[in-house]
Short mmCIF file of all heavy atoms in Angstrom, two decimals:
data_model
loop_
_atom_site.label_atom_id
_atom_site.label_comp_id
_atom_site.label_asym_id
_atom_site.label_seq_id
_atom_site.Cartn_x
_atom_site.Cartn_y
_atom_site.Cartn_z
N ALA A 176 2.74 -2.79 11.80
CA ALA A 176 1.98 -3.63 10.79
C ALA A 176 2.90 -4.76 10.23
O ALA A 176 2.41 -5.83 9.81
CB ALA A 176 1.68 -2.70 9.60
N LEU A 177 4.25 -4.58 10.25
CA LEU A 177 5.09 -5.57 9.60
C LEU A 177 5.84 -6.42 10.62
O LEU A 177 6.71 -7.22 10.30
CB LEU A 177 6.16 -4.84 8.72
CG LEU A 177 5.58 -4.06 7.53
CD1 LEU A 177 6.70 -3.39 6.81
CD2 LEU A 177 4.73 -4.90 6.67
N SER A 178 5.60 -6.29 11.96
CA SER A 178 6.26 -7.02 13.02
C SER A 178 5.38 -8.01 13.64
O SER A 178 4.18 -7.71 13.83
CB SER A 178 6.86 -6.14 14.02
OG SER A 178 7.86 -5.28 13.43
N ASP A 179 5.87 -9.11 14.04
CA ASP A 179 5.12 -10.06 14.85
C ASP A 179 5.08 -9.59 16.32
O ASP A 179 6.11 -9.28 16.85
CB ASP A 179 5.85 -11.43 14.78
CG ASP A 179 5.12 -12.48 15.63
OD1 ASP A 179 3.92 -12.70 15.38
OD2 ASP A 179 5.77 -13.07 16.56
N ALA A 180 3.89 -9.47 16.81
CA ALA A 180 3.74 -8.90 18.12
C ALA A 180 4.42 -9.61 19.28
O ALA A 180 4.90 -9.09 20.20
CB ALA A 180 2.17 -8.73 18.49
N LEU A 181 4.50 -10.98 19.12
CA LEU A 181 5.00 -11.83 20.15
C LEU A 181 6.58 -11.83 20.09
O LEU A 181 7.22 -11.53 21.15
CB LEU A 181 4.49 -13.23 20.10
CG LEU A 181 5.09 -14.24 21.05
CD1 LEU A 181 4.76 -13.77 22.51
CD2 LEU A 181 4.57 -15.68 20.76
N THR A 182 7.07 -12.21 19.02
CA THR A 182 8.55 -12.45 18.87
C THR A 182 9.39 -11.20 18.46
O THR A 182 10.59 -11.16 18.72
CB THR A 182 8.85 -13.55 17.89
OG1 THR A 182 8.43 -13.11 16.55
CG2 THR A 182 8.10 -14.76 18.25
N GLY A 183 8.66 -10.19 17.87
CA GLY A 183 9.42 -9.01 17.40
C GLY A 183 10.03 -9.11 16.10
O GLY A 183 10.49 -8.16 15.48
N VAL A 184 10.04 -10.29 15.43
CA VAL A 184 10.61 -10.47 14.10
C VAL A 184 9.53 -10.07 13.18
O VAL A 184 8.37 -9.78 13.49
CB VAL A 184 11.08 -11.94 13.81
CG1 VAL A 184 12.14 -12.28 14.82
CG2 VAL A 184 9.93 -12.91 13.92
N GLN A 185 9.88 -10.05 11.83
CA GLN A 185 8.90 -9.62 10.83
C GLN A 185 7.80 -10.71 10.64
O GLN A 185 8.01 -11.86 10.90
CB GLN A 185 9.61 -9.35 9.57
CG GLN A 185 10.65 -8.24 9.67
CD GLN A 185 11.34 -7.97 8.41
OE1 GLN A 185 10.99 -7.06 7.67
NE2 GLN A 185 12.42 -8.76 8.08
N ASN A 186 6.69 -10.21 10.06
CA ASN A 186 5.56 -11.12 9.91
C ASN A 186 5.33 -11.46 8.42
O ASN A 186 6.15 -11.10 7.59
CB ASN A 186 4.28 -10.59 10.51
CG ASN A 186 3.91 -9.18 9.96
OD1 ASN A 186 4.34 -8.83 8.85
ND2 ASN A 186 3.04 -8.45 10.65
N ARG A 187 4.19 -12.08 8.08
CA ARG A 187 3.97 -12.51 6.71
C ARG A 187 3.82 -11.32 5.84
O ARG A 187 4.22 -11.33 4.63
CB ARG A 187 2.71 -13.35 6.64
CG ARG A 187 2.50 -14.05 5.32
CD ARG A 187 1.15 -14.79 5.26
NE ARG A 187 1.07 -15.51 3.99
CZ ARG A 187 1.25 -16.84 3.85
NH1 ARG A 187 1.53 -17.53 4.85
NH2 ARG A 187 1.14 -17.38 2.67
N HIS A 188 3.20 -10.24 6.33
CA HIS A 188 3.09 -8.98 5.46
C HIS A 188 4.43 -8.48 5.07
O HIS A 188 4.66 -8.04 3.94
CB HIS A 188 2.27 -7.92 6.20
CG HIS A 188 0.89 -8.36 6.56
ND1 HIS A 188 -0.07 -8.62 5.57
CD2 HIS A 188 0.19 -8.50 7.71
CE1 HIS A 188 -1.25 -8.96 6.12
NE2 HIS A 188 -1.07 -8.83 7.45
N ALA A 189 5.37 -8.51 6.06
CA ALA A 189 6.71 -8.11 5.77
C ALA A 189 7.40 -8.96 4.70
O ALA A 189 8.13 -8.52 3.88
CB ALA A 189 7.57 -8.01 7.03
N LEU A 190 7.09 -10.30 4.80
CA LEU A 190 7.65 -11.22 3.85
C LEU A 190 7.19 -10.93 2.46
O LEU A 190 7.93 -10.94 1.49
CB LEU A 190 7.26 -12.65 4.19
CG LEU A 190 7.72 -13.73 3.24
CD1 LEU A 190 9.19 -13.78 3.12
CD2 LEU A 190 7.17 -15.15 3.66
N GLU A 191 5.84 -10.54 2.29
CA GLU A 191 5.31 -10.20 0.96
C GLU A 191 5.98 -8.92 0.43
O GLU A 191 6.28 -8.91 -0.74
CB GLU A 191 3.80 -10.00 1.10
CG GLU A 191 3.05 -11.31 1.45
CD GLU A 191 1.62 -11.02 1.86
OE1 GLU A 191 1.19 -9.84 1.90
OE2 GLU A 191 0.87 -12.05 2.00
N ALA A 192 6.16 -8.03 1.31
CA ALA A 192 6.85 -6.74 0.90
C ALA A 192 8.33 -7.02 0.56
O ALA A 192 8.85 -6.50 -0.45
CB ALA A 192 6.76 -5.64 1.94
N HIS A 193 8.98 -7.86 1.31
CA HIS A 193 10.36 -8.19 1.09
C HIS A 193 10.53 -8.95 -0.22
O HIS A 193 11.53 -8.79 -0.96
CB HIS A 193 10.88 -9.00 2.25
CG HIS A 193 12.38 -9.13 2.45
ND1 HIS A 193 13.08 -8.09 2.95
CD2 HIS A 193 13.27 -10.01 2.04
CE1 HIS A 193 14.35 -8.36 2.99
NE2 HIS A 193 14.51 -9.54 2.39
N PHE A 194 9.59 -9.78 -0.53
CA PHE A 194 9.63 -10.58 -1.71
C PHE A 194 9.63 -9.72 -3.01
O PHE A 194 10.24 -10.01 -4.00
CB PHE A 194 8.48 -11.60 -1.75
CG PHE A 194 8.52 -12.50 -2.95
CD1 PHE A 194 9.38 -13.56 -3.08
CD2 PHE A 194 7.60 -12.22 -4.05
CE1 PHE A 194 9.40 -14.39 -4.17
CE2 PHE A 194 7.65 -13.05 -5.15
CZ PHE A 194 8.54 -14.14 -5.24
N CYS A 195 8.92 -8.59 -2.92
CA CYS A 195 8.87 -7.71 -4.03
C CYS A 195 10.20 -7.09 -4.43
O CYS A 195 10.42 -6.77 -5.58
CB CYS A 195 7.82 -6.56 -3.72
SG CYS A 195 6.12 -7.07 -3.57
N ASP A 196 11.06 -7.03 -3.42
CA ASP A 196 12.41 -6.46 -3.62
C ASP A 196 13.41 -7.52 -4.06
O ASP A 196 14.60 -7.27 -4.31
CB ASP A 196 12.95 -5.73 -2.42
CG ASP A 196 12.10 -4.56 -2.08
OD1 ASP A 196 11.57 -3.96 -2.99
OD2 ASP A 196 11.98 -4.21 -0.87
N LEU A 197 13.02 -8.78 -4.11
CA LEU A 197 13.84 -9.86 -4.48
C LEU A 197 14.22 -9.85 -5.97
O LEU A 197 13.41 -9.41 -6.80
CB LEU A 197 13.19 -11.21 -4.13
CG LEU A 197 14.02 -12.49 -4.05
CD1 LEU A 197 15.02 -12.39 -2.90
CD2 LEU A 197 13.22 -13.73 -4.00
N ASP A 198 15.51 -10.11 -6.27
CA ASP A 198 15.95 -10.12 -7.61
C ASP A 198 15.27 -11.26 -8.36
O ASP A 198 15.58 -12.44 -8.16
CB ASP A 198 17.50 -10.33 -7.67
CG ASP A 198 18.00 -10.26 -9.14
OD1 ASP A 198 17.19 -10.00 -10.06
OD2 ASP A 198 19.25 -10.38 -9.31
N LYS A 199 14.32 -10.88 -9.20
CA LYS A 199 13.46 -11.99 -9.85
C LYS A 199 14.21 -12.71 -10.93
O LYS A 199 13.76 -13.70 -11.47
CB LYS A 199 12.18 -11.31 -10.36
CG LYS A 199 11.29 -10.60 -9.44
CD LYS A 199 10.85 -11.58 -8.39
CE LYS A 199 9.79 -10.98 -7.52
NZ LYS A 199 10.26 -9.80 -6.70
N SER A 200 15.39 -12.29 -11.26
CA SER A 200 16.11 -12.94 -12.34
C SER A 200 17.21 -13.89 -11.69
O SER A 200 17.87 -14.65 -12.39
CB SER A 200 16.85 -11.98 -13.24
OG SER A 200 17.84 -11.15 -12.50
N SER A 201 17.41 -13.89 -10.36
CA SER A 201 18.43 -14.73 -9.76
C SER A 201 17.83 -16.04 -9.30
O SER A 201 16.68 -16.14 -8.96
CB SER A 201 18.96 -13.92 -8.56
OG SER A 201 19.87 -14.75 -7.82
N ASP A 202 18.70 -17.07 -9.29
CA ASP A 202 18.31 -18.35 -8.72
C ASP A 202 19.10 -18.75 -7.58
O ASP A 202 19.30 -19.94 -7.25
CB ASP A 202 18.35 -19.45 -9.83
CG ASP A 202 19.78 -19.64 -10.39
OD1 ASP A 202 20.66 -18.82 -9.98
OD2 ASP A 202 19.96 -20.56 -11.17
N ARG A 203 19.69 -17.76 -6.90
CA ARG A 203 20.64 -18.04 -5.74
C ARG A 203 19.94 -17.71 -4.45
O ARG A 203 20.54 -17.69 -3.36
CB ARG A 203 21.86 -17.14 -5.83
CG ARG A 203 22.79 -17.62 -7.02
CD ARG A 203 24.02 -16.71 -7.17
NE ARG A 203 24.79 -16.56 -5.98
CZ ARG A 203 25.72 -17.34 -5.61
NH1 ARG A 203 26.02 -18.46 -6.37
NH2 ARG A 203 26.44 -17.17 -4.48
N ALA A 204 18.59 -17.38 -4.52
CA ALA A 204 17.85 -17.14 -3.20
C ALA A 204 17.20 -18.45 -2.77
O ALA A 204 16.73 -19.22 -3.52
CB ALA A 204 16.78 -16.10 -3.51
N HIS A 205 17.24 -18.63 -1.46
CA HIS A 205 16.65 -19.89 -0.85
C HIS A 205 15.75 -19.49 0.31
O HIS A 205 16.05 -18.49 1.04
CB HIS A 205 17.76 -20.82 -0.36
CG HIS A 205 18.50 -21.47 -1.53
ND1 HIS A 205 19.48 -20.86 -2.22
CD2 HIS A 205 18.37 -22.72 -2.07
CE1 HIS A 205 20.00 -21.64 -3.07
NE2 HIS A 205 19.32 -22.79 -3.07
N MET A 206 14.83 -20.28 0.55
CA MET A 206 13.90 -20.11 1.66
C MET A 206 13.94 -21.31 2.58
O MET A 206 13.84 -22.48 2.10
CB MET A 206 12.40 -19.91 1.21
CG MET A 206 11.41 -19.93 2.38
SD MET A 206 9.67 -19.85 1.78
CE MET A 206 9.64 -18.26 0.99
N LEU A 207 14.17 -21.04 3.87
CA LEU A 207 14.08 -22.10 4.85
C LEU A 207 12.79 -22.03 5.65
O LEU A 207 12.61 -20.95 6.33
CB LEU A 207 15.26 -22.08 5.85
CG LEU A 207 16.61 -22.73 5.48
CD1 LEU A 207 17.14 -22.12 4.10
CD2 LEU A 207 17.61 -22.71 6.49
N LEU A 208 11.89 -22.96 5.51
CA LEU A 208 10.70 -22.94 6.25
C LEU A 208 10.87 -23.89 7.44
O LEU A 208 11.06 -25.09 7.33
CB LEU A 208 9.51 -23.44 5.37
CG LEU A 208 8.10 -23.50 6.05
CD1 LEU A 208 7.75 -22.06 6.52
CD2 LEU A 208 7.03 -23.98 5.00
N ILE A 209 10.82 -23.29 8.60
CA ILE A 209 11.18 -24.00 9.86
C ILE A 209 9.87 -24.20 10.68
O ILE A 209 9.13 -23.28 10.94
CB ILE A 209 12.22 -23.14 10.65
CG1 ILE A 209 13.50 -23.02 9.85
CG2 ILE A 209 12.51 -23.83 12.00
CD1 ILE A 209 14.48 -22.13 10.49
N ASP A 210 9.74 -25.44 11.20
CA ASP A 210 8.63 -25.77 12.03
C ASP A 210 9.11 -26.43 13.33
O ASP A 210 9.97 -27.34 13.25
CB ASP A 210 7.64 -26.70 11.31
CG ASP A 210 6.41 -26.98 12.16
OD1 ASP A 210 5.49 -26.15 12.13
OD2 ASP A 210 6.36 -28.03 12.79
N ILE A 211 8.70 -26.01 14.54
CA ILE A 211 9.05 -26.60 15.78
C ILE A 211 8.34 -27.97 15.94
O ILE A 211 7.14 -28.04 15.86
CB ILE A 211 8.77 -25.67 16.95
CG1 ILE A 211 9.54 -24.33 16.80
CG2 ILE A 211 9.17 -26.36 18.24
CD1 ILE A 211 9.17 -23.33 17.78
N ASP A 212 9.13 -29.01 16.08
CA ASP A 212 8.51 -30.35 16.20
C ASP A 212 7.69 -30.49 17.51
O ASP A 212 8.17 -30.14 18.57
CB ASP A 212 9.64 -31.43 16.19
CG ASP A 212 10.45 -31.44 14.81
OD1 ASP A 212 9.81 -31.08 13.81
OD2 ASP A 212 11.66 -31.71 14.85
N PHE A 213 6.53 -31.02 17.37
CA PHE A 213 5.63 -31.34 18.49
C PHE A 213 5.43 -30.15 19.42
O PHE A 213 5.48 -30.28 20.64
CB PHE A 213 6.22 -32.54 19.22
CG PHE A 213 6.41 -33.78 18.48
CD1 PHE A 213 7.68 -34.26 18.16
CD2 PHE A 213 5.29 -34.45 17.91
CE1 PHE A 213 7.88 -35.35 17.41
CE2 PHE A 213 5.50 -35.64 17.14
CZ PHE A 213 6.78 -36.05 16.89
N PHE A 214 5.33 -28.95 18.86
CA PHE A 214 5.19 -27.75 19.66
C PHE A 214 3.89 -27.82 20.49
O PHE A 214 3.84 -27.30 21.62
CB PHE A 214 5.15 -26.52 18.76
CG PHE A 214 5.18 -25.23 19.55
CD1 PHE A 214 6.25 -24.86 20.29
CD2 PHE A 214 4.02 -24.42 19.57
CE1 PHE A 214 6.20 -23.66 21.01
CE2 PHE A 214 3.96 -23.24 20.32
CZ PHE A 214 5.06 -22.87 21.00
N LYS A 215 2.87 -28.51 19.95
CA LYS A 215 1.60 -28.58 20.76
C LYS A 215 1.84 -29.27 22.14
O LYS A 215 1.26 -28.90 23.08
CB LYS A 215 0.50 -29.35 19.90
CG LYS A 215 -0.81 -29.45 20.58
CD LYS A 215 -1.81 -30.07 19.70
CE LYS A 215 -3.16 -30.14 20.28
NZ LYS A 215 -3.25 -30.77 21.66
N LYS A 216 2.75 -30.18 22.08
CA LYS A 216 3.09 -30.95 23.36
C LYS A 216 3.70 -29.94 24.40
O LYS A 216 3.51 -30.06 25.59
CB LYS A 216 4.04 -32.12 23.17
CG LYS A 216 3.36 -33.19 22.34
CD LYS A 216 4.34 -34.40 22.25
CE LYS A 216 3.72 -35.55 21.56
NZ LYS A 216 4.56 -36.75 21.42
N VAL A 217 4.51 -28.98 23.94
CA VAL A 217 5.09 -27.97 24.81
C VAL A 217 3.96 -27.15 25.48
O VAL A 217 3.99 -26.93 26.63
CB VAL A 217 6.07 -27.10 24.03
CG1 VAL A 217 6.51 -25.96 24.99
CG2 VAL A 217 7.22 -27.90 23.46
N ASN A 218 2.99 -26.78 24.64
CA ASN A 218 1.90 -25.92 25.23
C ASN A 218 1.06 -26.82 26.17
O ASN A 218 0.67 -26.33 27.21
CB ASN A 218 1.00 -25.43 24.07
CG ASN A 218 1.58 -24.20 23.33
OD1 ASN A 218 2.36 -23.47 23.94
ND2 ASN A 218 1.37 -24.11 22.08
N ASP A 219 0.79 -27.98 25.77
CA ASP A 219 0.00 -28.90 26.62
C ASP A 219 0.65 -29.24 27.96
O ASP A 219 0.02 -29.27 29.00
CB ASP A 219 -0.38 -30.13 25.87
CG ASP A 219 -1.28 -29.94 24.67
OD1 ASP A 219 -1.93 -28.82 24.60
OD2 ASP A 219 -1.34 -30.77 23.78
N GLN A 220 1.99 -29.46 27.89
CA GLN A 220 2.69 -29.89 29.10
C GLN A 220 3.05 -28.76 30.01
O GLN A 220 2.94 -28.86 31.22
CB GLN A 220 3.99 -30.63 28.68
CG GLN A 220 4.81 -31.23 29.87
CD GLN A 220 5.99 -32.02 29.44
OE1 GLN A 220 6.14 -32.24 28.25
NE2 GLN A 220 6.74 -32.45 30.38
N PHE A 221 3.49 -27.67 29.42
CA PHE A 221 3.99 -26.52 30.28
C PHE A 221 3.05 -25.30 30.30
O PHE A 221 3.28 -24.37 31.09
CB PHE A 221 5.41 -26.10 29.78
CG PHE A 221 6.40 -27.22 29.75
CD1 PHE A 221 6.84 -27.76 28.50
CD2 PHE A 221 6.90 -27.70 30.93
CE1 PHE A 221 7.71 -28.76 28.56
CE2 PHE A 221 7.83 -28.76 30.91
CZ PHE A 221 8.25 -29.27 29.74
N GLY A 222 2.12 -25.25 29.34
CA GLY A 222 1.24 -24.05 29.31
C GLY A 222 1.68 -23.14 28.16
O GLY A 222 2.74 -23.12 27.66
N HIS A 223 0.69 -22.33 27.73
CA HIS A 223 0.89 -21.43 26.60
C HIS A 223 1.89 -20.32 26.94
O HIS A 223 2.55 -19.83 26.02
CB HIS A 223 -0.38 -20.77 26.09
CG HIS A 223 -1.27 -21.75 25.41
ND1 HIS A 223 -1.14 -21.99 24.10
CD2 HIS A 223 -2.31 -22.56 25.89
CE1 HIS A 223 -2.03 -23.00 23.68
NE2 HIS A 223 -2.74 -23.27 24.74
#
Side-chain angles (χ1 to χ4, degrees):
L177 299 180
S178 298
D179 177 59
L181 175 62
T182 63
V184 300
Q185 299 180 96
N186 59 19
R187 190 186 186 103
H188 297 298
L190 176 61
E191 293 170 355
H193 199 79
F194 181 78
C195 294
D196 297 329
L197 196 67
D198 183 2
K199 300 301 190 294
S200 63
S201 173
D202 62 352
R203 291 173 57 85
H205 290 79
M206 174 187 292
L207 274 62
L208 182 57
I209 298 173
D210 184 83
I211 301 176
D212 296 330
F213 303 111
F214 184 69
K215 185 177 183 301
K216 290 184 178 180
V217 175
N218 283 329
D219 292 341
Q220 182 177 353
F221 303 108
H223 287 277

